[in-house]
Amino acid sequence: MKVKIIEKIDTMRRLRRRLVEPVGFVPTMGYLHEGHLSLVRVAREENTSVVVSIFVNPTQFGPQEDLTSYPRNTKRDLELLAKETVDVVFIPEASEMYPGSYSTWVEVDRLTQRLEGASRPSHFKGVTTVVAKLFNIIQPTQAYFGQKDAQQIAVIKRMVADLNMNLKIVTAPTVREPDGLAMSSRNSYLNPQERQAAVVLYQALCLAQQLWSQGEKNAPRICQEMINLIQKQPLASIDYISVADAETLNELDTISSPALVSLAVGIGKTRLIDNIVLQ
Ligand code: PAF
């Protein structure tokens, strides 16, 4: 079947009625990489129909962030998706998603206040609002998100449970470059020197994993070792390093339950995030 490219919300809704259940949905902001494609492949395996959205959601970018420079290449994205046997690609216009009269927001409390939420105060309000809108339009049976955005997954799962949304959220593992750097559209901002330096995020996570495997359960000590390692890289500036309960995202002193080790580090002017779960 040829992939259908839909821009209008009404057309998407009409087409949705004809899609055979179950319907898997992969929301993206485009500039697709292997991480996105791995989500599409899992969605393909687990569903009869697959919908992918491409929408650079303006409301999840802060005023000083990279909305205008965010990488875009819809032509290439569509070529990649055609090879994955996707049924529908939904590419709405910002003016239809957020008309001038737009006034409704979906906000998740507490979980959004730490980590990414502390550094990017309005970010999750934009994410949950657009994801709720996309879920309403596409009505998926299951939606697919990458583990790289661990806090985003926790927040979306909370929203789905709290608002009794009728779908399952599926998480797929982070896809990495051969040297361990997590795939991200923002990696395209890195110059060759910065690209080499960026591997320090993964090295710090591997160090945490190693210390924990050797019996270290003290979270602040693990964080300190990660800081020491990252500070040796002159192009890196730490935003946060956290060892938190994987579900509540509350910071841990002693690691007993599954722990989310996450970090945000600037490499030159590019802010990168990554995480692993110790369990
Ligand atoms: O993870 C992303 O790419 C975005 O936050 C999402 C879920 C597509 C919402 O705009």
Side-chain angles (χ1 to χ4, degrees):
M1 192 177 96
K2 200 166 171 289
V3 56
K4 292 194 172 56
I5 298 155
I6 305 294
E7 289 178 3
K8 293 288 171 213
I9 294 173
D10 247 15
T11 320
M12 182 64 235
R13 279 192 196 285
R14 275 202 301 278
L15 181 60
R16 170 63 182 90
R17 286 186 218 121
R18 302 209 310 268
L19 292 179
V20 183
E21 307 280 346
V23 175
F25 173 46
V26 183
T28 82
M29 297 210 297
Y31 212 70
L32 304 180
H33 50 67
E34 271 303 309
H36 298 111
L37 298 180
S38 75
L39 297 177
V40 171
R41 283 170 203 144
V42 183
R44 180 77 276 167
E45 268 168 36
E46 296 184 351
N47 300 276
T48 311
S49 314
V50 175
V51 180
V52 175
S53 66
I54 298 176
F55 180 59
V56 182
N57 173 37
T59 64
Q60 69 188 73
F61 290 79
Q64 309 304 325
E65 292 181 4
D66 55 344
L67 172 62
T68 47
S69 60
Y70 194 82
R72 293 161 168 89
N73 191 341
T74 309
K75 184 172 172 284
R76 184 175 157 275
D77 290 345
L78 292 174
E79 283 164 11
L80 289 171
L81 291 173
K83 288 189 202 137
E84 301 296 331
T85 53
V86 162
D87 299 278
V88 184
V89 184
F90 179 49
I91 316 184
E93 294 277 344
S95 56
E96 203 189 1
M97 290 293 272
Y98 299 109
S101 55
Y102 194 83
S103 333
T104 303
W105 301 97
V106 179
E107 261 189 283
V108 172
D109 252 355
R110 289 199 292 266
L111 274 180
T112 54
Q113 261 131 50
R114 303 196 48 252
L115 307 174
E116 286 302 286
S119 301
R120 308 178 68 192
S122 58
H123 172 66
F124 285 117
K125 179 178 166 186
V127 170
T128 42
T129 299
V130 81
V131 170
K133 283 168 71 69
L134 291 167
F135 286 175
N136 274 337
I137 296 165
I138 289 154
Q139 304 272 316
T141 322
Q142 343 201 51
Y144 294 79
F145 295 86
Q147 172 63 25
K148 189 186 140 262
D149 297 302
Q151 189 177 11
Q152 170 168 279
I153 294 170
V155 169
I156 289 171
K157 281 186 172 166
R158 187 75 265 151
M159 171 185 80
V160 165
D162 288 353
L163 296 183
N164 312 101
M165 292 176 166
N166 189 20
L167 80 157
K168 186 174 154 205
I169 301 299
V170 183
T171 306
T174 303
V175 178
R176 299 182 179 281
E177 300 285 357
D179 67 355
L181 176 67
M183 291 206 182
S184 161
S185 306
R186 288 191 170 99
N187 291 351
S188 65
Y189 296 150
L190 302 168
N191 68 30
Q193 207 191 349
E194 290 167 344
R195 169 62 191 82
Q196 275 193 339
V199 73
V200 77
L201 279 86
Y202 183 62
Q203 288 169 343
L205 292 172
C206 291
L207 176 61
Q209 171 80 60
Q210 185 196 333
L211 292 168
W212 179 77
S213 306
Q214 288 166 354
E216 180 60 89
K217 298 285 179 280
N218 182 292
R221 270 208 293 270
I222 291 181
C223 287
Q224 191 54 54
E225 291 297 333
M226 293 171 74
I227 292 171
N228 296 346
L229 178 88
I230 295 170
Q231 282 178 340
K232 289 189 194 134
Q233 172 48 254
L235 295 178
S237 54
I238 299 170
D239 180 353
Y240 64 78
I241 292 184
S242 154
V243 180
D245 180 283
E247 207 170 301
T248 62
L249 302 185
N250 289 333
E251 210 62 26
L252 294 172
D253 265 332
T254 307
I255 303 173
S256 53
S257 50
L260 177 74
V261 184
S262 63
L263 75 175
V265 176
I267 300 290
K269 289 201 173 87
T270 305
R271 184 175 179 280
L272 300 176
I273 60 171
D274 200 353
N275 68 80
I276 52 164
V277 178
L278 304 177
Q279 58 190 344

